[in-house]
Amino acid sequence: MRTVVEQAVAPGYRMLRRLKNRVLNLVDAPVIVLAYHRVTRLASDPHQLAVKPENFRAQMQHLRQNCRCVRLNEEWSGLREPAVAVTFDDGYADNLHEALPILAETGVPATVFVSTGMLGNPGEFWSDDLARQLLDGGDYPPSFELRDREHGGRWPAASPAERQTLHDRLHRAMLKIEPPRREDWLGQLARWSGRGGTARATHRTLTPAELRELSASPLVTIGAHGVTHTPLALLPEAEQRREITQSRRELEELLGREVTVFSYPFGGWRQFDGTTRRLCREAGFRRAVTTFPGQVHRWTDPLQLPRQLVRDWNAATFAARMESFRV
Ligand SMILES: [Zn+2]
């Protein structure tokens, strides 16, 4: 909730930001990096990661007609007009089956960042698995007990509202624990809910063969996104290094080409830090993207590029948002 004072000064800040961007844009044409995850139609999308195919088509048509579209792994220094780079995080199978045909139809290039631990993995991303365990509908036991030395407890889970609250609580906590402990919690949940097993068809990730097919498109660049989709800043340095270098090496071996761009899993201020950036530089990445908003200028740290998250917007909303990203 914003205070009265914050509400009163917000329009002034927005005006100042626009003014600042106008001046900066005269000096240097910005690149707007857009962040997508999925192009598909989902019955339930708790983190709003999916853009429906018809909206994605309208968005790409808008970019093709109104913007200069650039690639994340190319040189941007000679740009004289504002440009846009499209990126996808995670590596869902729909990137090949639903997004690529629309990219090909509109000629818009895109970079797909892949978490290599999920390549060909029969399960789901941990955050999807958590949502499936708790938000799937049907019957549930009346309460859930988590056995954990630090976060353990028992919470009501009989109603959809109680399960939503429990989901949000566990999701927040799971952003702060390491992968083996996360897997243990998901195992406890699966035994309790009776849900689990192989991935739902709607939440499948790319297989290695599908990734090669996606990467064969001249419009697609593949980047790394860690191995286990864990916020890197919470891991010890050696583990961070392994996530960064192993995801790069696995992709390079699979694709037979150099991987030079990285996306920090979850990508917010608390989810990567100075150590993470240094490790990315040492691993040889030339650019790395975050999830905090902003424009990219020639003075922006290449290992900390802001991105604008795109939601399931129709053509008119997308056009208005693009306008606001540019000024
Ligand atoms: Zn991600």
Side-chain angles (χ1 to χ4, degrees):
M1 183 72 80
R2 294 196 304 175
T3 65
V4 176
V5 175
E6 280 171 335
Q7 284 176 24
V9 299
Y13 274 129
R14 268 201 300 277
M15 230 168 67
L16 273 177
R17 195 194 66 211
R18 285 207 189 112
L19 193 65
K20 186 191 87 180
N21 282 343
R22 287 233 165 89
V23 173
L24 293 180
N25 292 355
L26 287 177
V27 180
D28 180 65
V31 177
I32 309 298
V33 185
L34 299 180
Y36 291 86
H37 294 81
R38 313 195 52 182
V39 173
T40 192
R41 188 181 299 278
L42 294 177
S44 152
D45 186 14
H47 300 289
Q48 299 178 59
L49 297 182
V51 177
K52 287 195 281 297
E54 63 269 28
N55 282 342
F56 186 67
R57 178 175 289 107
Q59 295 176 4
M60 293 305 104
Q61 284 167 348
H62 176 92
L63 293 185
R64 179 40 72 208
Q65 285 157 15
N66 297 283
C67 307
R68 176 172 174 157
C69 298
V70 295
R71 292 162 195 271
L72 200 71
N73 62 339
E74 72 188 8
E75 188 53 53
W76 294 339
S77 57
L79 292 176
R80 293 184 184 282
E81 53 184 327
V84 175
V86 170
T87 68
F88 283 84
D89 275 8
D90 299 339
Y92 284 95
D94 60 58
N95 291 187
L96 171 69
H97 301 292
E98 306 206 51
L100 182 62
I102 295 169
L103 294 170
E105 193 183 303
T106 49
V108 175
T111 296
V112 179
F113 294 103
V114 177
S115 283
T116 54
M118 292 308 297
L119 261 183
N121 188 316
E124 297 187 5
F125 272 102
W126 66 260
S127 39
D128 287 335
D129 203 14
L130 176 67
R132 163 167 68 167
Q133 305 294 347
L134 285 164
L135 309 177
D136 209 21
D139 293 328
Y140 284 84
S143 66
F144 171 66
E145 182 183 4
L146 176 71
R147 285 182 301 281
D148 184 88
R149 61 186 185 277
E150 187 186 354
H151 298 273
R154 178 181 282 278
W155 300 279
S159 72
E162 286 168 341
R163 291 192 295 275
Q164 182 71 54
T165 303
L166 178 56
H167 167 273
D168 297 349
R169 166 192 284 268
L170 292 176
H171 188 268
R172 275 196 304 278
M174 285 166 114
L175 284 171
K176 296 176 191 142
I177 59 173
E178 295 187 23
R181 200 158 155 207
R182 210 170 56 206
E183 290 308 311
D184 172 60
W185 290 19
L186 288 170
Q188 292 187 42
L189 268 168
R191 285 191 293 281
W192 167 81
S193 73
R195 294 158 172 84
T198 52
R200 293 167 286 182
T202 48
H203 290 71
R204 200 167 66 72
T205 51
L206 290 161
T207 65
E210 286 175 321
L211 179 65
R212 273 198 292 265
E213 193 183 336
L214 183 62
S215 156
S217 163
L219 290 168
V220 173
T221 303
I222 302 297
H225 194 42
V227 178
T228 63
H229 208 252
T230 302
L232 294 177
L234 72 87
L235 299 174
E237 181 170 335
E239 273 300 297
Q240 288 201 45
R241 182 181 287 111
R242 193 184 66 78
E243 289 269 346
I244 292 166
T245 55
Q246 185 178 324
S247 61
R248 179 178 190 183
R249 192 181 60 246
E250 287 179 353
L251 291 171
E252 290 186 338
E253 281 171 8
L254 185 70
L255 303 174
R257 67 174 69 160
E258 207 188 4
V259 172
T260 61
V261 288
F262 189 84
S263 167
Y264 302 112
F266 297 94
W269 287 115
R270 289 189 201 88
Q271 289 141 356
F272 70 97
D273 58 18
T275 303
T276 323
R277 293 206 306 278
R278 172 172 57 76
L279 292 170
C280 275
R281 188 168 49 246
E282 287 170 8
F285 286 107
R286 291 201 275 276
R287 285 196 180 116
V289 295
T290 70
T291 52
F292 49 79
Q295 302 180 332
V296 178
H297 286 283
R298 60 170 182 254
W299 50 81
T300 306
D301 179 353
L303 292 176
Q304 205 170 207
L305 300 185
R307 285 190 297 178
Q308 301 288 356
L309 205 54
V310 181
R311 300 299 190 191
D312 188 27
W313 298 322
N314 64 20
T317 306
F318 182 73
R321 293 300 179 112
M322 281 306 298
E323 199 49 40
S324 74
F325 296 158
R326 290 213 268 184
V327 291

